[in-house]
Amino acid sequence: MKTAAGQGEARFDWLRPGTAPAPTRIAQISAPGTGQWICSPSGFGSKSRCSRR
């Protein structure tokens, strides 16, 4: 049974156990409620209103 494919640098063995690449951090998540705007909820016929903190 043939498990490897390709030649030279492009050679890859599908059945050889490998290691997963290290995860990279993409973005920092900020906590909710720390923005510059605060908005009131809408409902009962009124629209939401937003104002700066």
Side-chain angles (χ1 to χ4, degrees):
M1 178 169 70
K2 184 177 177 183
T3 64
Q7 296 177 352
E9 292 290 323
R11 188 166 179 83
F12 184 79
D13 188 354
W14 290 97
L15 298 179
R16 185 184 80 208
T19 58
T24 56
R25 188 173 197 159
I26 297 173
Q28 184 176 4
I29 300 172
S30 62
T34 59
Q36 295 180 353
W37 292 88
I38 185 157
C39 297
S40 66
S42 62
F44 299 104
S46 64
K47 294 184 179 181
S48 63
R49 285 176 264 173
C50 297
S51 59
R52 276 200 172 277
R53 285 187 184 244

